[in-house]
Amino acid sequence: VVSWLRDLGTRVEVDRVGNITGTWPPDGFEPAVLVGSHIDSVRAGGRYDGALGVLAGIEVLETLISGGVETARPVAVASFTDEEGSRFPPDMLGSLVAVGGMSLEEALDVTAPDGAVLGDELARIGYSGASPCLLAVAPAAYIELHVEQGPRLEHAGVPIGAVTGVQGISWAEITVSGQANHAGTTPMDLRRDAGHVAASIATYVRTLCDRLGPSQLATVGRIELAPNLVNVVAGSAVLTVDLRNTDDDALAEAERLLAVRCAELAADEHVTITTRTLARYAPVEFDPEAVALVEAVSAGLGLASMRLPSGAGHDAQMLARVCPAGMIFVPSAGGISHNPAEHTDDEYLEAGANVLLRCVLHLAGAVTP
Ligand code: HGY
Ligand code: MN
Ligand code: MN
């Protein structure tokens, strides 16, 4: 990505948390129209999540530059660090730091479950950059192209999504401390079984969705038991709970109910439970004019579009704190994402990139030669 941005002649900057930007023209320091996304991935993820928005952004720049298109504002492409957050939480870490939502010191100290420290890893790969972390100048606007990662566009047979916003996100890491013991000799009423408690939490969060309605989502994606052996009552467990809802009050209620259930389980099983918040973002609404622009540009290209909220978190929800922000979705085959089977047909990739290009031309005040 950096070599492509350099080859284009853009001004390439890497900031202290590894966010990469390429700006055209290179001497343009006024508020830029910013596009981009992320190139990090969940482990065993797909090829389109994030990468599409960065590569399409580079394609847009290349099209402007090679076409000699002058714009009233600079245009920049960003590749934000650690959007996924599954190794170094929270998600959208790089863009969160860029907009001043998390201090650089706090971010560089984030430690992964495997013990790696973010600051050390950035230095190791050569991306502890020199530029200040905050967006030196807030962008004039931000537009992100991304695969939907869900089934709605494909189900509707619509190629473009005009994204209205992002739902609320709550990530917690729950540590259960019980007592390792013999699976054959320990009476059931004397156990302090961390495995039983972890499994109970995993099944409980599913009942929250029944209780709070269809907008409530709950996922236990990670459970680690110790010593993780067939004939040993688990002495400890670490699990994560991902709760999401478009309604922040309902999300807070889900968090409260989970805490109450954990306290009950701790008392019943005589274990201790500690909870660490890994991420907590309220729902975000995108700029109505940006949403309308995606629809209008799509129509101008003869592309059907539909409005929908994003189930996934995105860097755009952080940029929305400092400038008008919007997103363009294209369909995900089978609604699959965070999975190597993730796929989007070329015609949709191209359609999305063309909508992005025309949004940029409009926002940047293109002065065609
Ligand atoms: O978790 C998310 O929604 C995003 O993929 N980081
Ligand atoms: Mn993504
Ligand atoms: Mn993702």
Side-chain angles (χ1 to χ4, degrees):
V1 165
V2 168
S3 59
W4 286 337
L5 290 171
R6 284 201 181 114
D7 292 349
L8 279 177
T10 66
R11 182 178 81 245
V12 179
E13 294 168 289
V14 179
D15 75 12
R16 289 289 309 282
V17 79
N19 293 316
I20 301 162
T21 52
T23 304
W24 178 265
D27 59 353
F29 290 92
E30 311 78 22
V33 172
L34 185 65
V35 296
S37 191
H38 62 95
I39 55 173
D40 67 302
S41 166
V42 294
R43 186 171 60 231
R47 296 186 300 162
Y48 299 85
D49 175 1
L52 172 61
V54 175
L55 298 188
I58 294 172
E59 184 72 22
V60 164
L61 266 191
E62 185 162 358
T63 303
L64 297 180
I65 295 168
S66 60
V69 177
E70 289 181 27
T71 53
R73 291 192 174 95
V75 178
V77 183
S79 173
F80 291 107
T81 297
D82 189 28
E83 186 277 345
E84 294 296 351
S86 44
R87 184 177 181 216
F88 296 104
D91 51 346
M92 289 73 73
L93 180 145
S95 50
L96 181 64
V97 173
V99 300
M102 182 180 196
S103 74
L104 175 63
E105 294 68 29
E106 187 184 357
L108 296 178
D109 274 350
V110 170
T111 303
D114 60 16
V117 179
L118 180 59
D120 299 342
E121 288 298 281
L122 284 168
R124 183 176 64 80
I125 65 171
Y127 277 83
S128 173
S131 303
C133 256
L134 297 182
L135 286 171
V137 175
Y142 177 76
I143 298 283
E144 179 169 355
L145 172 60
H146 204 288
V147 289
E148 179 201 336
Q149 302 181 282
R152 293 188 56 187
L153 289 176
E154 182 180 68
H155 181 70
V158 170
I160 299 293
V163 187
T164 54
V166 178
Q167 66 179 338
I169 302 175
S170 165
W171 285 3
E173 180 186 74
I174 299 175
T175 301
V176 184
S177 303
Q179 183 182 54
N181 217 325
H182 195 297
T185 60
T186 310
M188 295 311 290
D189 63 345
L190 296 182
R191 293 180 181 213
R192 297 170 55 212
D193 185 344
H196 165 69
V197 171
S200 303
I201 291 170
T203 50
Y204 176 73
V205 295
R206 182 61 72 94
T207 68
L208 280 180
C209 302
D210 303 333
R211 180 166 174 173
L212 293 172
S215 65
Q216 182 61 50
L217 303 173
T219 311
V220 173
R222 175 177 149 227
I223 292 185
E224 292 162 6
L225 300 182
N228 209 28
L229 299 170
V230 61
N231 58 350
V232 181
V233 175
S236 66
V238 178
L239 67 152
T240 56
V241 177
D242 176 322
L243 300 172
R244 310 218 187 178
N245 201 309
T246 49
D247 179 320
D248 206 35
D249 292 339
L251 186 56
E253 177 64 1
E255 291 171 320
R256 186 189 70 79
L257 290 168
L258 174 58
V260 167
R261 184 62 189 133
C262 285
E264 289 169 354
L265 286 164
D268 293 349
E269 194 69 15
H270 308 292
V271 299
T272 56
I273 295 178
T274 56
T275 299
R276 181 165 73 103
T277 298
L278 300 181
R280 181 59 167 93
Y281 298 125
V284 170
E285 292 298 316
F286 287 140
D287 177 60
E289 289 183 23
V291 180
L293 176 63
V294 172
E295 287 178 316
V297 162
S298 301
L301 289 168
L303 295 166
S305 67
M306 63 182 264
R307 292 187 175 214
L308 74 167
S310 175
H314 297 287
D315 294 307
Q317 71 189 87
M318 300 306 164
L319 274 293
R321 298 185 183 191
V322 297
C323 70
M327 291 190 78
I328 306 158
F329 273 175
V330 288
S332 291
I336 300 292
S337 184
H338 283 188
N339 180 321
E342 186 180 83
H343 177 78
T344 295
D345 289 344
D346 289 356
E347 62 170 300
Y348 295 134
L349 302 178
E350 189 174 336
N354 279 324
V355 171
L356 183 67
L357 171 63
R358 280 162 177 73
C359 286
V360 168
L361 289 171
H362 173 85
L363 292 167
V367 181
T368 46

